[in-house]
């Protein structure tokens, strides 16, 4: 049987890291602000999509992952590190 979900049943492994990094940015960054940052980088995403990604309810494309890393100023490997706890 094929499995395309994380070991915890979520649709991504980067969502909790995106949330953690977003919440620890020097300036307060809301989900809406993160969506705006992504839009400025030409990724069509809204606040609700950010919420679903952070909750693990939405898949994340490789293109989106690369831009998340750019706007959050981390490596994409940091976003995929599911060994870090919140």
């Amino acid at each position: 049987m094929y499995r395309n979900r994380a070991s915890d049943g979520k649709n991504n492994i980067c969502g909790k890291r995106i949330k953690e990094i977003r919440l620890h940015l020097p300036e307060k960054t809301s989900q809406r602000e993160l969506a705006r940052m992504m839009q400025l980088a030409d990724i069509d995403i809204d606040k609700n999509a950010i919420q679903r990604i952070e909750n693990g309810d939405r898949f994340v494309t490789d293109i989106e992952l690369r831009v998340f890393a750019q706007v959050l100023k981390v490596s994409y490997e940091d976003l995929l590190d599911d060994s870090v706890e919140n």
Side-chain angles (χ1 to χ4, degrees):
M1 173 183 270
Y2 295 105
R3 196 172 67 154
N4 63 348
R5 296 187 189 279
S7 59
D8 60 2
K10 302 285 185 176
N11 287 325
N12 66 60
I13 59 174
C14 63
K16 61 185 169 185
R17 288 289 295 145
I18 289 170
K19 180 177 182 178
E20 178 181 304
I21 293 165
R22 176 180 64 80
L23 292 175
H24 288 95
L25 289 175
E27 294 186 23
K28 183 178 178 183
T29 304
S30 65
Q31 291 173 336
R32 188 174 311 283
E33 178 62 18
L34 180 54
R36 187 189 71 76
M37 293 163 66
M38 295 290 286
Q39 290 167 0
L40 289 173
D42 292 328
I43 298 295
D44 185 21
I45 198 166
D46 63 12
K47 181 254 183 212
N48 293 328
I50 298 293
Q51 181 179 30
R52 292 182 66 228
I53 289 168
E54 289 184 351
N55 288 335
D57 297 331
R58 180 184 178 280
F59 290 103
V60 178
T61 68
D62 54 352
I63 296 165
E64 292 169 336
L65 184 71
R66 184 172 61 185
V67 176
F68 272 119
Q70 289 171 353
V71 302
L72 294 172
K73 296 181 174 61
V74 298
S75 71
Y76 65 86
E77 291 93 345
D78 288 336
L79 296 179
L80 296 175
D81 184 3
D82 62 350
S83 67
V84 179
E85 292 295 320
N86 288 340

